[in-house]
Amino acid sequence: MQPLTTYTPSGRINAAGLWRIAVYGVPLIAVFSWAYANVLILDPPAFFAPLATLIFTAACAVTITTLLEKTHSRSPQFNIVVAVVLVLFAYWVRWLVFFRAMSVSTATEFALSDPLSALKFLWDYGVARAAADPSEFSAFASSLIWALEFVVLGGLSIHLARDQALKPYSETCKAWTIDEAGGEVFLGATPPEDIRRWLENDGVSSLMTMPRADRLQATPLASTWSTLKITGHKLEGDTSTFWLTLEHVSSLRTSEGKVKSFAEDIFKYWQISPEDYARLMAYLHDAERTAPEEKADDSSASSMDRPTPEALQPALAALQAGNSATALALADGYRTHPDTHVSMDAVNLCALALSELKRWPEAYDAFLQLYERLPTAQNALQLASTSVMAGQLVRGQAWYDRAESINTQTGEMPSPRLRTAFLSALEQAGEFEACEPLLAWLRDCYSTVSSTDSQILWNYGLPFFSEFLRKSLPLLRPHLDDAQLHAWYAVIRPQLDTDGQRAIDEHLSSI
C-alpha cells in the first residue's frame, strides 16, 4: 500500500512582488468600481442591474486573483486578507462615486465616516429614498439587496484568491504548475470511496485499468453513469511538480437525450512521479488506442445512440427511481407496439424491472423475447444470468456457452469480462462449485500473460490481479480446503512477474 501525498502550500509570500497590488490592483479596482457606480446612477432596467453586478464582481475577482498569482503568494491566509481589503475598497469606492453624483458634501460625509457610521449612512439613504418615492424598495429591502451585492463580490473574490494559493507551486523553479487536460475514464458501478483504496494499492496503474470514457457509448436505458475526470498539473524542469486532480462526475441522460453532469473532487493535487504522469497522459491522449469496448455490434448501434421513446419515458423514470413494479406496469403494454424501437425498449425495460423484482422466470421470458429479436452476446449473457438466478444452472450454462460463441464471432466484449459477469450471477445464486472452471480459466490467463501490470491486463480485458485474488477466494473456499487452495493458486506462481509472485505469496499467507 502506498501513501497518497497531496500538495500543501508553503505559506510563503514574495515580498518583492507586493508592489503590484498597490500600483496595479488599487487603481484597477477603483476604475471598475467607478464604472459600476456610474451604471447604477443611470438607473438601468431591472434586468440589467444584476448583469452589471455580475460583470463588476467578475472583473474585481479576476483582477485580485491575477495580482496574487503574479506576486507568487502561496499563503491562503494572506490571499484572503488581500481579497477582503480590496473588496472593502471596491465597495467603498462604488458608494463614494454614487453619493458624489448626489452632491460633493454627501460624498465627503460618507468618505469621512467610520465603518459603523457608513452603514448607518446607507440605511438613512435607503429610508430617505423610500420616503421620497413610494415606488422604490423599502430601506430594509434595499439593505438586503446591497448586502447580497457585497456577499457576491466578496464570496467570489475570496474563493478564487484562496484557491490560487492552494495551486501547486515549484519552490525550485519559482513558478506555478501548468494545467493539462487529461481525460475521463469510465467507473461503471464503482463507488467513489473505492477509488482511494485502488490508488493506495496500485497507484496510477489502477486508473489505466478503467476504459476511457470517450471510447464508450451509453444505451438509452443506461441513463445514469459515473466517470472519473483527470486533470494534470506539471512544470517541466522540476521532477517534484507532477500532480493530478481527480473529480467524480455523475452524469444523467434526460428523456430528451441531453446529458447533465455533476462533479465533486475526490483528490486535489495528488503528487505522482514524472514517469507515472507521462504513462497516464499517454494512455489518456493516445487517439489511436482502441479499447475493447469499442468493438460494438453494428446491428445495435442505432439503438444505442437514440434517446428513449417518449411513450416509455414514464416507465424509464419509474425504473430509475427504484419503482420497478410501476415501471413494469407502464412498459408492459408497449411490448407489442408496431414501432420496432418502442417495442424492443419496452421488452428491455420489462426484463430489467422483472430482474429488480427478482421474478426470474418472467425476466428470463422477457430477455428471451429480446434475444430473439437481437441475438447478441450481451442478451445471451442476460439469459444465462437470469437462468442461474432462477435456479436453472444447466440452462444457464447452455446460454453462457452460446454467449461465448457469439462473442467469439462478434467481439462484443473481452472474453474475461464475459466470464466475470457470469461469475457474478453464479456467486449471487450460491453456485460456488460452478465458479471454479471459470476462475481456473481466468487464472490461466494471468499465467499466459505473465505480467501483472494493470495496463497490460486491461489490454486483455482481465481484472487487475489483486482484485482477482480477493474476489476468487470466497468462491473457492466452500469446496476447497486450505491445502487445495494453496495448490490452486500456487500453480501459476512460476509464470508470473515479481509483483505477481509477491502478491501470490501474500495471498497464500492469509489463507
Side-chain angles (χ1 to χ4, degrees):
M1 184 174 291
Q2 52 187 289
L4 301 178
T5 304
T6 55
Y7 176 75
T8 302
S10 66
R12 297 176 183 175
I13 301 167
N14 181 16
L18 296 180
W19 61 269
R20 290 185 173 86
I21 297 175
V23 173
Y24 296 128
V26 172
L28 281 173
I29 294 295
V31 169
F32 295 148
S33 301
W34 173 85
Y36 176 58
N38 277 284
V39 169
L40 297 183
I41 290 169
L42 296 175
D43 193 19
F47 74 88
F48 186 78
L51 178 61
T53 301
L54 291 177
I55 294 173
F56 169 60
T57 298
C60 290
V62 170
T63 298
I64 293 170
T65 304
T66 303
L67 286 169
L68 291 170
E69 178 188 5
K70 297 299 183 183
T71 57
H72 293 234
S73 169
R74 288 91 75 196
S75 170
Q77 294 80 7
F78 176 77
N79 283 19
I80 290 173
V81 170
V82 171
V84 169
V85 170
L86 290 179
V87 164
L88 289 172
F89 174 70
Y91 209 61
W92 181 78
V93 172
R94 168 253 195 273
W95 280 108
L96 184 65
V97 174
F98 188 87
F99 288 133
R100 173 64 180 80
M102 297 171 61
S103 70
V104 173
S105 60
T106 302
T108 303
E109 183 180 355
F110 175 76
L112 297 177
S113 299
D114 59 68
L116 289 178
S117 298
L119 292 176
K120 184 178 183 303
F121 196 94
L122 292 177
W123 174 263
D124 291 341
Y125 165 69
V127 171
R129 188 179 68 166
D133 186 354
S135 65
E136 293 285 353
F137 290 113
S138 67
F140 179 74
S142 295
S143 298
L144 286 180
I145 293 172
W146 298 333
L148 179 62
E149 178 187 54
F150 179 75
V151 167
V152 171
L153 172 61
L156 181 62
S157 299
I158 292 171
H159 174 72
L160 293 181
R162 179 180 178 274
D163 275 6
Q164 176 58 46
L166 296 175
K167 291 182 177 179
Y169 183 89
S170 170
E171 299 293 343
T172 302
C173 299
K174 304 299 180 185
W176 301 100
T177 55
I178 299 171
D179 293 347
E180 179 180 8
E184 291 187 53
V185 293
F186 186 71
L187 289 178
T190 305
E193 54 270 20
D194 281 357
I195 297 172
R196 174 182 284 272
R197 177 175 57 80
W198 287 6
L199 295 176
E200 288 175 343
N201 289 338
D202 293 276
V204 168
S205 295
S206 63
L207 299 177
M208 293 186 289
T209 65
M210 306 176 193
R212 283 168 44 185
D214 59 358
R215 296 295 185 185
L216 300 178
Q217 294 175 314
T219 66
L221 293 176
S223 295
T224 58
W225 63 94
S226 297
T227 57
L228 191 66
K229 183 179 179 181
I230 303 170
T231 304
H233 317 276
K234 67 176 182 177
L235 187 64
E236 299 293 347
D238 187 348
T239 57
S240 66
T241 53
F242 288 85
W243 313 84
L244 293 178
T245 292
L246 307 181
E247 294 177 274
H248 180 258
V249 182
S250 300
S251 299
L252 169 69
R253 187 188 300 278
T254 66
S255 55
E256 293 81 19
K258 298 179 180 179
V259 175
K260 296 181 179 179
S261 298
F262 310 90
E264 61 175 332
D265 288 335
I266 294 179
F267 278 110
K268 258 203 146 172
Y269 312 132
W270 168 36
Q271 187 175 19
I272 61 174
S273 69
E275 295 78 16
D276 281 346
Y277 185 93
R279 194 158 56 100
L280 178 62
M281 288 301 166
Y283 167 72
L284 294 172
H285 294 164
D286 185 3
E288 299 301 319
R289 181 185 179 85
T290 302
E293 286 80 2
E294 192 176 24
K295 300 176 182 178
D297 187 352
D298 293 339
S299 63
S300 60
S302 60
S303 174
M304 293 172 69
D305 293 336
R306 58 183 174 79
T308 303
E310 184 177 353
L312 291 173
Q313 290 171 9
L316 177 60
L319 186 64
Q320 292 170 341
N323 300 322
S324 302
T326 302
L328 177 62
L330 292 171
D332 191 62
Y334 292 94
R335 292 172 69 166
T336 57
H337 195 279
D339 187 314
T340 302
H341 290 161
V342 174
S343 62
M344 285 182 64
D345 280 0
V347 171
N348 204 355
L349 274 168
C350 290
L352 294 173
L354 287 165
S355 296
E356 290 293 325
L357 294 169
K358 302 188 186 305
R359 291 161 58 176
W360 304 115
E362 295 171 83
Y364 173 84
D365 291 339
F367 279 123
L368 180 60
Q369 185 181 353
L370 187 64
Y371 175 83
E372 289 171 347
R373 303 173 69 172
L374 192 63
T376 63
Q378 176 63 35
N379 288 335
L381 179 61
Q382 293 278 30
L383 285 164
S385 300
T386 308
S387 296
V388 169
M389 297 305 295
Q392 299 290 330
L393 178 59
V394 175
R395 186 179 70 188
Q397 184 63 54
W399 274 112
Y400 169 76
D401 292 341
R402 185 175 301 185
E404 188 176 17
S405 176
I406 295 172
N407 192 60
T408 300
Q409 300 173 25
T410 63
E412 278 182 55
M413 65 185 83
S415 294
R417 294 184 188 175
L418 188 74
R419 285 166 170 79
T420 54
F422 191 49
L423 274 168
S424 178
L426 292 171
E427 180 182 14
Q428 292 180 58
E431 299 286 358
F432 299 113
E433 193 169 353
C435 295
E436 200 278 333
L438 297 171
L439 291 171
W441 186 92
L442 289 170
R443 178 198 60 188
D444 294 342
C445 285
Y446 294 104
S447 176
T448 302
V449 174
S450 295
S451 174
T452 55
D453 180 270
S454 297
Q455 183 176 4
I456 294 175
L457 295 180
W458 180 85
N459 289 336
Y460 287 94
L462 288 163
F464 52 90
F465 195 54
S466 59
E467 286 295 294
F468 169 75
L469 295 177
R470 181 178 62 84
K471 292 183 177 180
S472 60
L473 184 58
L475 303 182
L476 295 170
R477 268 198 181 279
H479 58 280
L480 295 180
D481 58 30
D482 287 353
Q484 291 172 320
L485 285 170
H486 274 263
W488 195 91
Y489 286 109
V491 70
I492 62 169
R493 188 185 184 283
Q495 286 75 41
L496 297 177
D497 56 16
T498 302
D499 289 340
Q501 291 179 357
R502 185 183 305 113
I504 283 284
D505 293 341
E506 292 175 358
H507 185 64
L508 292 178
S509 67
S510 67
I511 297 176

